[in-house]
Amino acid sequence: MCTRVLWNDNELAVLAGRTMDWPESTQPLLVAFPAGRERDGGQLGPATLVADNPLRWTTRYATIVATVYGLGGIDGFNERGLAAHGLYLESTDYGPRDPAKPGVHAALWAQYLLDQAADVSEAIALMDDVNVVMAAAHGFDATIHLALEDASGDSAIIEFSHGQPVIHHGRQYTVMTNDPTYDEQLQLLAAQDFSHPGDSMPLAGNASAIDRFQRASYFSSMLPKPQNQRQAVASVMAVMRNVSVPFGAPDDKFGIYDTEYRSISDLTERIYFFELTTSPSIVWVRFDDLDLVAGGPALAVNPYDETLIGDITDRFAAADIAF
């Protein structure tokens, strides 16, 4: 499931929060990749998903991501301040494979855009020349849509319907959850006027994607102007905790899953914050202080390491990452 909230009008920093809601652990690693890495968009671990005309590229930009099942980055940003967040969307339809276009499987879709694009507009332009192909892991299809934002505060939501990308591009697209499609979510939101929130306004309180969309919109519209970066990050994290799904969600019956982690991408200071719901400690990494060497090894840390707390930049170590 999941929720993404972008705060791009606070005059201090561009911040994006997300929750990862899933029926099991996504086995995340926090990984920093240097530029100059070779990738194959047709390979998913040992399996070949795109045998005919796979997309291959050399990464232009260094990135920091949270991985999903070790198969690709699902959340994070790059050195130019472009961030990407992959969220579940059951209605996703990538369409049939078009061998005339290089193919990239869905688990590497977000990583590809982070590797190659400097901002939202460049990421959107890259979509003209690639064909996103379904991937699956642990019995789950990667039917995802992407939220993008950059250090200028620009934003985009990209979904696939009948094989075609449906793109909402503009600073005003700050909240995303899951089904129904983004067009439908916006129509539902239009029925609620959150421009002047008050204590008498009825507010949806369920954990469904529709209710979380409205609740995230409501509370993010109420955030006070921050006095410093610490307050700004805390403000976004407060909203993400509000729209998180507590343990015991009725996943099998309603398709609603517990929140595994929350993250915040600070695209102004280039700091990635990460909070496991099973940990009392939040951790963060200062991207600019990582010792990344172009063409060199990836650096990684396991966020489930219970000794981690606070600034963990110096805990990143060389790692053999398969993708």
Side-chain angles (χ1 to χ4, degrees), residues 82 117-127 148 150 154-156 169:
L82 173 69
D119 56 32
V120 169
S121 293
E122 283 192 14
I124 292 173
L126 285 175
M127 294 303 301
L148 304 172
D150 61 35
D154 196 9
S155 174
H169 183 193

Side-chain angles (χ1 to χ4, degrees), residues 46 49 109 126 128 159 166 181 202 225 283 320:
L49 296 190
W109 177 22
L126 285 175
D128 292 337
E159 299 178 343
V166 179
T181 64
K225 182 178 179 179
V283 299
D320 183 14

Side-chain angles (χ1 to χ4, degrees), residues 5 7 218-226 232 235-236 238-239:
V5 172
W7 197 17
Y218 175 86
F219 283 109
S220 60
S221 73
M222 297 175 66
L223 292 178
K225 182 178 179 179
S235 294
V236 177
V239 176

Side-chain angles (χ1 to χ4, degrees), residues 216-250:
S217 299
Y218 175 86
F219 283 109
S220 60
S221 73
M222 297 175 66
L223 292 178
K225 182 178 179 179
Q227 299 302 306
N228 50 51
Q229 188 239 15
R230 181 186 177 95
Q231 288 185 11
V233 172
S235 294
V236 177
M237 187 61 82
V239 176
M240 304 323 297
R241 288 169 177 156
N242 182 280
V243 296
S244 294
V245 181
F247 301 137

Side-chain angles (χ1 to χ4, degrees), residues 2-7 15-21 75 85 87 174-177 212-213 215-217 219-220 223 232-246 259-265 273 275 277 282:
C2 315
T3 304
R4 172 266 203 169
V5 172
L6 169 64
W7 197 17
L15 303 165
R18 74 87 49 83
T19 65
M20 170 59 79
D21 308 341
D75 184 76
H85 320 276
L87 279 65
T174 58
V175 174
M176 186 171 87
T177 56
R212 284 184 284 110
F213 193 105
R215 204 158 63 252
S217 299
F219 283 109
S220 60
L223 292 178
V233 172
S235 294
V236 177
M237 187 61 82
V239 176
M240 304 323 297
R241 288 169 177 156
N242 182 280
V243 296
S244 294
V245 181
T259 297
E260 180 183 18
Y261 65 77
R262 293 172 282 263
S263 72
I264 294 179
S265 297
F273 298 85
E275 181 184 53
T277 55
I282 187 171

Side-chain angles (χ1 to χ4, degrees), residues 150-221:
D150 61 35
S152 75
D154 196 9
S155 174
I157 310 297
I158 307 178
E159 299 178 343
F160 272 88
S161 177
H162 303 290
Q164 299 299 315
V166 179
I167 301 173
H168 295 79
H169 183 193
R171 295 176 60 93
Q172 69 272 33
Y173 301 118
T174 58
V175 174
M176 186 171 87
T177 56
N178 315 108
D179 293 86
T181 64
Y182 204 67
D183 279 328
E184 294 175 84
Q185 288 278 24
L186 292 176
Q187 291 175 11
L188 292 168
L189 185 65
Q192 298 284 342
D193 181 11
F194 291 151
S195 60
H196 298 87
D199 58 7
S200 62
M201 178 179 289
L203 189 63
N206 206 305
S208 71
I210 292 173
D211 283 17
R212 284 184 284 110
F213 193 105
Q214 303 220 358
R215 204 158 63 252
S217 299
Y218 175 86
F219 283 109
S220 60
S221 73

Side-chain angles (χ1 to χ4, degrees), residues 7 13 36 38 43 49 95 113 120 125 138 178 181 190 248 274 292 313 319:
W7 197 17
E38 302 295 328
Q43 291 297 125
L49 296 190
L113 297 182
V120 169
H138 285 223
N178 315 108
T181 64
F274 191 90
L292 292 172
T313 308

